[in-house]
Amino acid sequence: MAIFALAIANRQTGAAEASESSAVSIKEWEIQWFADSNKSERPPSLTGPWITADISEPETSIPKGYDGAWVHVAVPPTADWQTPGLLISQLYGLDISVYEEGRLLYRSSRDFSFDRNMLLLALAPKTEPSDLYIRIESMDRAGPSSAVRIGDFYELSETFIREELPSVLLGASIAFMGLLMLLVSGYLNVQQRRAWVSLSLIALTASVMIVTYSTLPFIYFEEFGKGLQFTFDLSMLTVFPALHFYVASVFEGKLAFFKRFGRWFAGYSVLGFLVLILNEMIGDAFFFYYKLFTFWLLAPLILVHLLLVLGQSVIQSVRGNRNSTIMGLGFLALAVMGVADMLKIYAKDSVPILHLWKVGIVLLIISLIVVLARKISADHRRLLSYSKELELFNHQLQRAEKMKIISDLAASIAHEVRNPLQVTRGFLQLIAGRSDEASKPHFEMAINELDRASGIITDFLTFAKPEMDTVVALDIQQELGKIESIISPLAAYHGTVLEVRIPDRLYVLGNPTKFKQAFMNMIKNSIESIQSNGIVKIEAHAENGMAVIRIADNGEGMDEEQIAKLGEPYYSTKTKGTGLGLMVTFRIIEVMKGTLEFRSEKGKGTEALIRFPLARQH
């Protein structure tokens, strides 16, 4: 460790003097197992059985009854490098000692069971080959699993850092993202915060796993080795229950078995946590159970969980859950990478260093972030929709209250006002017949105004009592044809063309007079909204058990605020309008169990959509 730190500290001065010769890679070495209950470090037996190993078959599993291994490495001449060194970037072992000609060159010892190690050793320049003997004592694995490289000491140290640093940086980046998500979680509502915090926990635990799976932290911070190993195991036991909770929030339905499996997994994680505590308390005597619960049983359980999530994702995707499809792809990537790593484990006697699962974790987190973003976006759209519905409901409620007041007033005074108007009109007609020619235009104007007031009162009466005296099945094509013949002169007067396309056999229940009154009001409004070269299209069709009638014009159009006020009394876009005609139209359509919807854009015209339940003609 001291040599390694010295190499980093003196890199600038050593680099200037280092030779440019490239490193030599030794891919073959010899191993001799030893059983030493007294922990003595006597030299290996040179005549004893040596096993040839290489990078394809590194032979790192310690046979039963043995405590470790001697590794013999034939070192070529090192005179080509001014500061020669040796690097084994992937080495299994807890206690490591290096000898040359019986002389101790290097020693490293660990008080924790993380057996992934490395060896960086400074060598003396020699013109002749030499032999190095590495004594490795460990739990269940010992020996190199990568090539032995001979080269410039400082270059080798940089090589090791470059190989290990990407994993540390990747884990640190994911941890930063997880912490940032955790900090901003307070701005979310309760429903969103649960999934958000789960994803934060997934990111944090995954980052810890990626960082602490690397050898680099255990080399730099060897005094914290036990803590680093504990956090890795704890993260393994935490990340998948958190993942299960997040997945359950995305899936739809009861999912009884899936949730039950999540509870089993959480229970296993609690049991695993107790095993970790016991391992810290008991030590080496508990190592077998520690390995059993934190690796050999946990790995298949994780694989079953991934397959279960993938299967449920397929089911949910078939049901139209797009988030399940995206999340399923992320889990598929993790499962494929995990299976590939598992195959590497079971294909070899020793456990290799696994890297593919890190790629799978990154792809999974990306998919989970996309799903969470889609959920938050959907919640926002739903909130906007609820807000608009609430605004519409309040508007309808206010309108209903206004209509009720007007209805009560109209019902109470309309008859009382109408009778005096009729009497006054009769006397004016009588006097007009006896007056001179100069006064007749004045009487005629007064009579017209009385007629206009009578029409307004008629609208009030229609609104106050919209019940249909006679309800029959109305042929929409026939009724709108009659309206077209009546309204055509007004359209021609305004220079507007009526385009009526109504299919036959469309029937609705209603009163012919009221139906005619409502549609003449709407068509008349469309005609009067057009300045010149106007077109009013009247179309109808059947849709989902409803008769849909569309009246569209290319007039001035309206903005959203104007559309929202349509149907209110005394509101009109026309200079001389009272708004009562459209108010009555809304009321008639409502009594006929229909709906009226306006769509408009300033300068592009207005479209009215009227929907009535279809009726069968008998």
Side-chain angles (χ1 to χ4, degrees):
M1 180 64 190
I3 295 175
F4 182 74
L6 183 63
I8 301 302
N10 295 330
R11 177 65 185 101
Q12 296 300 323
T13 57
E17 302 173 356
S19 171
E20 295 298 326
S21 300
S22 59
V24 175
S25 183
I26 302 172
K27 300 180 180 180
E28 190 175 278
W29 52 89
E30 292 181 319
I31 291 180
Q32 184 180 110
W33 305 110
F34 70 81
D36 190 358
S37 58
N38 296 324
K39 308 294 182 183
S40 64
E41 294 190 2
R42 63 180 182 273
S45 172
L46 300 180
T47 60
W50 287 89
I51 303 169
T52 301
D54 56 35
I55 57 174
S56 60
E57 295 183 5
E59 300 291 340
T60 57
S61 294
I62 300 176
K64 189 174 181 180
Y66 291 91
D67 299 314
W70 281 97
V71 178
H72 169 229
V73 179
V75 179
T78 58
D80 290 341
W81 299 279
Q82 187 169 355
T83 54
L86 175 145
L87 172 65
I88 306 177
S89 58
Q90 297 177 12
L91 176 70
Y92 292 115
L94 298 177
D95 298 335
I96 301 171
S97 302
V98 182
Y99 295 85
E100 183 182 34
E101 299 176 356
R103 182 171 57 92
L104 179 65
L105 298 181
Y106 172 87
R107 173 172 289 172
S108 173
S109 180
R110 287 180 174 177
D111 61 349
F112 50 92
S113 59
F114 185 79
D115 58 2
R116 284 187 53 206
N117 215 320
M118 61 82 70
L119 177 61
L120 179 62
L121 180 67
L123 301 175
K126 291 186 178 181
T127 57
E128 298 295 329
S130 59
D131 295 303
L132 285 183
Y133 292 92
I134 307 172
R135 185 183 188 278
I136 304 173
E137 190 174 338
S138 191
M139 292 284 193
D140 57 356
R141 297 181 294 185
S145 61
S146 66
V148 180
R149 283 177 278 189
I150 308 296
D152 179 75
F153 180 80
Y154 302 103
E155 290 181 359
L156 291 175
S157 65
E158 284 189 354
T159 298
F160 171 72
I161 293 174
R162 282 198 302 268
E163 289 175 351
E164 295 293 326
L165 196 57
S167 292
V168 176
L169 293 178
L170 175 63
S173 301
I174 297 175
F176 177 77
M177 181 194 69
L179 285 172
L180 192 62
M181 291 178 62
L182 205 58
L183 289 174
V184 302
S185 62
Y187 294 100
L188 303 174
N189 60 46
V190 176
Q191 292 287 345
Q192 295 172 338
R193 191 181 300 129
R194 291 176 182 174
W196 187 277
V197 171
S198 296
L199 184 53
S200 303
L201 187 60
I202 292 167
L204 289 173
T205 51
S207 68
V208 170
M209 289 167 55
I210 292 173
V211 171
T212 53
Y213 189 75
S214 171
T215 310
L216 195 61
F218 292 90
I219 301 299
Y220 267 114
F221 308 104
E222 191 170 0
E223 63 274 20
F224 302 110
K226 279 188 175 182
L228 291 171
Q229 185 179 9
F230 185 84
T231 54
F232 176 85
D233 295 330
L234 185 62
S235 297
M236 278 285 288
L237 293 170
T238 305
V239 64
F240 286 96
L243 198 57
H244 190 94
F245 181 84
Y246 179 92
V247 170
S249 70
V250 175
F251 288 158
E252 299 171 353
K254 295 183 178 179
L255 306 175
F257 177 76
F258 187 81
K259 293 180 179 178
R260 192 180 304 121
F261 183 85
R263 289 193 289 270
W264 293 341
F265 209 156
Y268 182 88
S269 296
V270 173
L271 180 62
F273 177 72
L274 295 177
V275 170
L276 292 182
I277 299 297
L278 290 174
N279 182 63
E280 290 294 319
M281 296 172 60
I282 298 174
D284 295 348
F286 203 74
F287 181 75
F288 171 78
Y289 301 100
Y290 160 77
K291 202 73 173 178
L292 178 67
F293 278 93
T294 61
F295 186 80
W296 295 111
L297 292 180
L298 183 60
L301 189 62
I302 290 172
L303 186 58
V304 170
H305 177 257
L306 292 178
L307 294 175
L308 182 62
V309 171
L310 280 174
Q312 191 61 42
S313 296
V314 172
I315 295 173
Q316 295 278 334
S317 298
V318 172
R319 294 176 179 173
N321 190 336
R322 292 288 301 278
N323 287 337
S324 295
T325 304
I326 297 171
M327 189 174 63
L329 291 175
F331 271 98
L332 179 62
L334 180 59
V336 169
M337 300 300 178
V339 168
D341 277 340
M342 293 278 289
L343 291 177
K344 289 192 334 189
I345 292 174
Y346 292 110
K348 296 184 178 182
D349 293 334
S350 61
V351 178
I353 297 174
L354 308 176
H355 296 288
L356 294 177
W357 66 272
K358 300 177 186 178
V359 179
I361 285 286
V362 172
L363 294 176
L364 175 62
I365 289 177
I366 291 173
S367 70
L368 297 183
I369 291 173
V370 171
V371 168
L372 185 57
R374 284 173 54 86
K375 286 185 65 179
I376 293 176
S377 177
D379 289 343
H380 179 67
R381 289 195 300 269
R382 196 177 299 115
L383 181 63
L384 289 179
S385 176
Y386 289 159
S387 177
K388 289 181 179 178
E389 289 179 5
L390 182 61
E391 183 180 355
L392 179 62
F393 175 77
N394 288 334
H395 176 72
Q396 291 174 342
L397 183 61
Q398 292 173 3
R399 181 175 175 273
E401 291 175 351
K402 291 179 182 178
M403 296 302 104
K404 187 176 185 307
I405 294 171
I406 294 171
S407 177
D408 293 341
L409 287 173
S412 62
I413 67 173
H415 288 290
E416 300 300 327
V417 174
R418 197 174 192 180
N419 290 334
L421 286 179
Q422 293 298 327
V423 173
T424 304
R425 187 182 190 280
F427 279 114
L428 285 175
Q429 284 180 322
L430 180 61
I431 296 171
R434 299 176 181 176
S435 64
D436 55 20
E437 291 298 325
S439 301
K440 282 185 178 181
H442 299 290
F443 284 107
E444 188 174 329
M445 185 182 299
I447 291 170
N448 289 336
E449 288 302 309
L450 287 174
D451 289 340
R452 192 168 76 87
S454 179
I456 293 173
I457 292 171
T458 300
D459 287 338
F460 269 116
L461 284 174
T462 303
F463 178 80
K465 189 180 179 182
E467 290 79 9
M468 309 297 173
D469 297 329
T470 304
V471 177
V472 297
L474 303 177
D475 185 335
I476 293 178
Q477 184 187 58
Q478 182 179 343
E479 295 299 326
L480 289 177
K482 295 176 182 177
I483 294 171
E484 180 187 9
S485 62
I486 297 171
I487 209 81
S488 291
L490 178 64
Y493 176 78
H494 284 81
T496 300
V497 177
L498 290 179
E499 294 183 1
V500 182
R501 290 190 294 270
I502 310 297
D504 57 359
R505 306 185 64 80
L506 279 181
Y507 298 96
V508 297
L509 293 176
N511 181 275
T513 304
K514 303 295 185 185
F515 183 90
K516 184 186 299 180
Q517 181 182 358
F519 277 86
M520 284 189 67
N521 276 337
M522 286 187 288
I523 298 171
K524 183 172 174 288
N525 287 342
S526 291
I527 293 172
E528 292 176 348
S529 70
I530 300 172
Q531 299 295 331
S532 60
N533 299 322
I535 299 176
V536 176
K537 296 181 180 179
I538 306 171
E539 302 169 342
H541 65 276
E543 179 183 294
N544 298 327
M546 303 290 287
V548 182
I549 305 172
R550 174 177 175 268
I551 302 173
D553 63 63
N554 60 346
E556 296 179 355
M558 296 175 288
D559 55 31
E560 292 185 2
E561 185 179 353
Q562 290 174 314
I563 293 175
K565 293 183 178 180
L566 291 179
E568 292 185 1
Y570 307 113
Y571 176 79
S572 175
T573 57
K574 296 182 289 186
T575 55
K576 295 183 179 180
T578 63
L580 297 177
L582 197 54
M583 180 183 72
V584 170
T585 299
F586 268 103
R587 188 73 166 135
I588 292 173
I589 292 173
E590 180 185 343
V591 173
M592 289 180 63
K593 296 181 172 51
T595 61
L596 173 56
E597 176 188 0
F598 284 96
R599 300 173 183 172
S600 185
E601 188 174 345
K602 225 29 172 167
K604 294 187 178 180
T606 302
E607 177 185 64
L609 290 175
I610 307 96
R611 292 179 173 85
F612 294 114
L614 282 170
R616 183 174 298 177
Q617 172 70 2
H618 297 288

